Amino acid sequence: MEKLLSTKPARTRFAPSPTGRMHIGNARSALYPFLLARRLGGQFILRIEDTDQKRYEPGAEQELINGLRWLGLQYDEGPDIGGPHSPYRQSERRAIYHEHAWKLVEMEKAFACFCTPDRLDKVRQEQMKNKQNPRYDGTCRALDSAEARRRVDAGEKYVIRFKMPKEGSITTADLLRGSITTENSALDDSVLLKSDGLPTYHLAAMVDDHLMEITHVIRGSEWLPSMPLHIHIIRAFGWDEPVFAHLSVFLKPSGKGKMSKRDRAEAMKDGYSIFLGDMQELGYTPEGVLNWIALMGWGVPEDDVMTLDRMIERFSIDSLTPSPAAINFQKLDHFNATHIRLMRTDDLAARLKPYFTREGLNFRDDVLLKMIPLLRERLVTLDDCISFGAFFFKDEVTPNPEDLIAKGLDAKQSAEIARRAYQILGAQPDISHERSEPPMRAYVEESGFSANQVFGILRVAVTGQKVSPPLFESMEIIGRDVCLKRIQNAIDVLEKITS
RNA sequence: GCCCCCAUCGUCUAGUGGACUAGGACGCGGCCCUUUCAAGGCCACGACCGGGGUUCGAAUCCCCGUGGGGGCACCA
């Protein structure tokens, strides 16, 4: 226990396989080890587990790196930046695994196996038919070691399998769940080194974690069932065991079943995604995403909205939760909106720019800075700045004619209101909101129309939309001349309806 | 089929035998504020999966059930 709750510097790692896009599950698998390393003052390492050439996807590693960078999870050692245990890409470490696999063979903890995949398949099929557990039948385990060596040297294809003890049991410890005892008889002679010379996860991860001096292995709970094998491997080498913590999986929003890449389509319909790349485009911030995933599987008393720095202060590995968590996009929205409200004005402005650019709008920096205070508390995602604020940068707006007719009034009355507004505002030398609002309010008073009706018409005329940031402040930013032009246009539209 | 894990409001969680009338957050409902939409403030609704134990006392410990999840590859 002393070891488990150590406060000594920790070396942790994020070890994804480059087989697809980076999703929130990956992100959380990177976050917790990052937090631990920063909390305890150790190192956080990125290691690419690309030992499966069949599933390898060329762009995946870069996407992983981009994702980590976007989130601000900076690693201290990794394939692109090097480090004392280079290389950090497993495909470049073949010799290391080869050597370790054979070391186990020499120690008689593993054996070379020449069985063909075809035969193994048949055996498995047969076992399942007989309701037996599918497992290696031991054919090559019985081979004489000198004979095996001879066949290997002769160039015969082989794999190396772990020689699982037939008797006994093994007790392993998961930090979040306590100790788990497994009968060795339930375990298999798993392949450690494949016939293509590359290792399986079981060998590669254990060897690298040891060589890279990893102190805490934080990984998905899908590894829980193979932890006994992993501990066997570690002990066969006589190495120290790192602390293991298995994260629970993310469930679909419905809570039924594990969230998978295939759920993307469903989420996208509602403007959500589980892929980091998508989320960025959808206007989510790293702060929001981080806060969201952090709290799924980690209970932090008295803390809710947190920055990365705050998470580091508060993190403790034993406060992680072992139970599965259903993802909840509404909560993501909440965290995203909250962090947007917390941002400095210039920071928010800089982050909004790409979204205006994407819309082909020519934003002006000074205008952008001025509109931020009006926009900020209305944004759930960054790209909401388009629906709320595009009119600031458009040459002209084209209101829906029927929106120009106020509720309870007809086109004629609405046109009258627009004309009066034009007069009142046109009489002002400028339309700072201090100058424009009082006379307009006075007009509301004397006219008998409601503020809702008068300001509503003005809003649609000036912004082109029924929902907008506060009217008078918006008009001030747009400027007198443009406002008057837009109001005149509204008058024309309304008069066309009446005539 | 076999093995393993998990179980508190709809969701994420706090809770580590008495401080629990079970706390917070999101969402939902209502009210206030208000030129729209938000934001903000206030209030309400809402949970210990079931059954047995252990104990003076159990959300908390043990067992069984149920439900959910994961795993059983020359994938990770």
Side-chain angles (χ1 to χ4, degrees):
Chain A
M1 206 60 192
E2 205 174 302
K3 183 184 165 194
L4 298 186
L5 298 177
S6 162
T7 52
K8 291 202 295 278
R11 282 178 61 84
T12 61
R13 89 285 113 132
F14 171 47
S17 60
T19 52
R21 304 236 271 142
M22 184 167 184
H23 52 76
I24 55 175
N26 292 325
R28 193 187 56 169
S29 293
L31 208 216
Y32 294 151
F34 169 86
L35 292 177
L36 214 224
R38 290 290 173 271
R39 176 88 186 102
L40 268 29
Q43 292 77 225
F44 172 59
I45 295 152
L46 172 64
R47 185 174 73 219
I48 301 296
E49 310 221 326
D50 56 347
T51 56
D52 184 358
Q53 68 282 81
K54 287 184 283 291
R55 293 203 308 155
Y56 179 78
E57 276 191 33
E61 180 180 322
Q62 193 54 48
E63 172 153 342
L64 254 359
I65 289 173
N66 292 346
L68 292 175
R69 192 168 299 156
W70 184 64
L71 292 171
L73 304 181
Q74 203 178 82
Y75 42 91
D76 305 294
E77 302 168 24
D80 54 334
I81 57 173
H85 300 280
S86 288
Y88 291 89
R89 214 174 273 121
Q90 290 186 328
S91 59
E92 296 167 13
R93 299 168 65 82
R94 290 178 96 102
I96 296 172
Y97 309 119
H98 189 269
E99 181 194 325
H100 280 85
W102 276 100
K103 198 182 275 177
L104 283 181
V105 175
E106 280 157 28
M107 295 190 287
E108 300 191 335
K109 300 282 176 69
F111 61 94
C113 168
F114 307 92
C115 297
T116 64
D118 265 8
R119 192 186 77 77
L120 260 17
D121 254 8
K122 270 186 210 127
V123 170
R124 212 183 340 264
Q125 226 97 86
E126 189 67 18
Q127 286 167 331
M128 303 235 268
K129 214 171 68 189
N130 298 334
K131 305 224 176 202
Q132 287 173 300
N133 285 337
R135 59 158 42 108
Y136 182 63
D137 67 357
T139 303
C140 295
R141 183 175 168 134
L143 247 41
D144 176 71
S145 62
E147 162 77 1
R149 186 76 227 194
R150 199 187 51 70
R151 287 172 70 177
V152 167
D153 290 343
E156 205 171 320
K157 266 203 172 237
Y158 71 97
V159 302
I160 290 179
R161 288 177 182 276
F162 190 75
K163 192 182 268 183
M164 185 59 68
K166 297 277 188 215
E167 312 281 311
S169 61
I170 186 163
T171 298
T172 61
D174 173 77
L175 187 56
L176 315 182
R177 293 161 247 259
S179 60
I180 301 160
T181 299
T182 310
E183 293 299 321
N184 291 155
S185 60
L187 271 17
D188 204 359
D189 294 341
S190 301
V191 172
L192 302 178
L193 197 72
K194 301 183 276 185
S195 60
D196 63 3
L198 283 166
T200 58
Y201 172 88
H202 308 302
L203 207 226
M206 294 314 111
V207 167
D208 285 346
D209 285 342
H210 173 253
L211 261 22
M212 295 180 180
E213 302 174 83
I214 300 302
T215 56
H216 301 255
V217 173
I218 300 173
R219 55 176 7 180
S221 68
E222 65 270 24
W223 295 113
L224 209 44
S226 49
M227 184 166 54
L229 200 220
H230 297 157
I231 300 298
H232 264 121
I233 293 171
I234 291 169
R235 290 185 187 166
F237 280 115
W239 296 334
D240 285 341
E241 295 165 34
V243 173
F244 283 84
H246 292 89
L247 271 19
S248 64
V249 293
F250 283 152
L251 269 25
K252 297 173 199 283
S254 62
K256 296 199 187 310
K258 183 167 95 162
M259 173 113 237
S260 84
K261 283 128 246 168
R262 280 165 291 284
D263 293 315
R264 175 179 186 266
E266 183 71 17
M268 285 298 267
K269 275 193 289 195
D270 300 319
Y272 299 115
S273 179
I274 57 165
F275 290 112
L276 259 40
D278 290 337
M279 297 177 87
Q280 191 168 359
E281 278 181 35
L282 292 166
Y284 289 97
T285 63
E287 290 90 338
V289 173
L290 238 20
N291 207 150
W292 180 50
I293 59 175
L295 262 23
M296 281 189 286
W298 175 30
V300 195
E302 309 304 315
D303 250 326
D304 177 27
V305 174
M306 290 185 285
T307 59
L308 233 205
D309 285 340
R310 179 61 179 160
M311 290 182 208
I312 292 170
E313 281 175 37
R314 295 286 263 132
F315 190 74
S316 119
I317 189 169
D318 54 326
S319 59
L320 296 178
T321 314
S323 46
I327 60 173
N328 180 345
F329 288 117
Q330 288 176 315
K331 202 140 184 168
L332 167 63
D333 281 339
H334 167 254
F335 282 123
N336 204 245
T338 304
H339 278 102
I340 286 175
R341 269 175 253 133
L342 256 25
M343 277 176 203
R344 287 207 327 270
T345 299
D346 56 341
D347 185 13
L348 218 205
R351 301 212 213 189
L352 257 23
K353 286 180 186 178
Y355 297 92
F356 284 118
T357 304
R358 191 173 71 182
E359 282 302 299
L361 292 165
N362 289 317
F363 59 86
R364 280 176 37 204
D365 286 326
D366 58 325
V367 174
L368 188 52
L369 246 26
K370 276 190 270 185
M371 59 193 265
I372 295 289
L374 305 186
L375 240 39
R376 193 188 340 249
E377 64 220 26
R378 272 161 259 269
L379 303 179
V380 172
T381 52
L382 294 174
D383 69 331
D384 284 342
C385 68
I386 300 304
S387 57
F388 277 110
F391 67 87
F392 283 111
F393 303 118
K394 283 182 176 162
D395 294 332
E396 49 189 40
V397 295
T398 49
N400 186 344
E402 61 197 46
D403 290 343
L404 283 167
I405 301 168
K407 206 171 163 194
L409 304 180
D410 58 22
K412 210 173 149 210
Q413 291 167 301
S414 299
E416 174 57 22
I417 289 173
R419 274 192 295 269
R420 286 289 292 141
Y422 188 94
Q423 281 171 10
I424 292 167
L425 297 172
Q428 303 298 327
D430 69 74
I431 49 171
S432 63
H433 71 276
E434 293 96 336
R435 219 181 258 283
S436 61
E437 187 165 350
M440 284 307 298
R441 288 215 179 265
Y443 168 61
V444 167
E445 282 299 312
E446 69 177 56
S447 68
F449 294 122
S450 73
N452 234 310
Q453 293 169 321
V454 174
F455 297 160
I457 292 169
L458 208 47
R459 179 189 316 285
V460 174
V462 171
T463 69
Q465 46 198 237
K466 286 161 80 171
V467 173
S468 83
L471 180 58
F472 295 102
E473 284 88 339
S474 296
M475 291 201 300
E476 176 176 333
I477 293 171
I478 293 168
R480 178 174 177 277
D481 294 348
V482 173
C483 284
L484 289 177
K485 210 176 84 190
R486 290 183 182 180
I487 295 168
Q488 182 55 253
N489 174 252
I491 295 168
D492 295 344
V493 171
L494 284 166
E495 285 179 344
K496 200 185 266 177
I497 298 174
T498 29
S499 61

